[in-house]
Amino acid sequence: MVKLTLYWEYFKSTLVLNLSTSVLLAFIVYLTLITLPDPPHLHMVYIRCCMFGGPLISLLYKEMSRKNEYYFYYNRGISKLSLFITTLSTYILTGYLLITILHYAKLT
């Protein structure tokens, strides 16, 4: 149960950075995709950026700015790779859940 709490704390530490960078990334991607004949909705682009682009940017930021933080998790039996995999899979699963809900609600 302690490890689950530590995974949750690490996830929360990447959440704000992920959501904020995903906004900027989604606008950039949306402006490039708007020239297509059938462009995707902005909220779908944002969800996909929250799933893939934002987590990678936030993990890269944490890797460069807070390297010593990983010793805290390592001393409690959690490796850096497992933190990355757990965080990315949580973002991806949450994103696919939101996409599925929006699809069935006919908002896509």
Side-chain angles (χ1 to χ4, degrees):
M1 194 60 162
V2 173
K3 284 189 178 184
L4 186 61
T5 305
L6 291 173
Y7 280 113
W8 174 247
E9 289 299 321
Y10 185 79
F11 176 77
K12 284 192 321 186
S13 71
T14 62
L15 188 62
V16 173
L17 187 61
N18 177 19
L19 295 178
S20 60
T21 57
S22 293
V23 169
L24 180 63
L25 191 61
F27 280 121
I28 291 170
V29 170
Y30 184 72
L31 289 177
T32 57
L33 293 178
I34 203 160
T35 59
L36 294 175
D38 188 23
H41 296 285
L42 180 61
H43 61 275
M44 293 301 290
V45 173
Y46 177 70
I47 291 172
R48 292 187 194 271
C49 285
C50 285
M51 289 169 57
F52 301 108
L56 293 177
I57 292 172
S58 64
L59 291 176
L60 178 67
Y61 172 76
K62 285 187 71 77
E63 176 69 27
M64 294 177 72
S65 67
R66 299 181 182 168
K67 288 183 182 181
N68 294 333
E69 184 177 321
Y70 293 113
Y71 290 119
F72 171 75
Y73 295 103
Y74 183 76
N75 288 336
R76 284 163 174 72
I78 301 173
S79 69
K80 187 189 309 186
L81 182 63
S82 67
L83 285 171
F84 288 170
I85 290 172
T86 305
T87 303
L88 286 174
S89 62
T90 303
Y91 283 125
I92 290 171
L93 289 175
T94 305
Y96 279 128
L97 179 68
L98 282 173
I99 288 172
T100 305
I101 290 171
L102 290 174
H103 178 72
Y104 284 116
K106 305 286 187 208
L107 296 175
T108 58

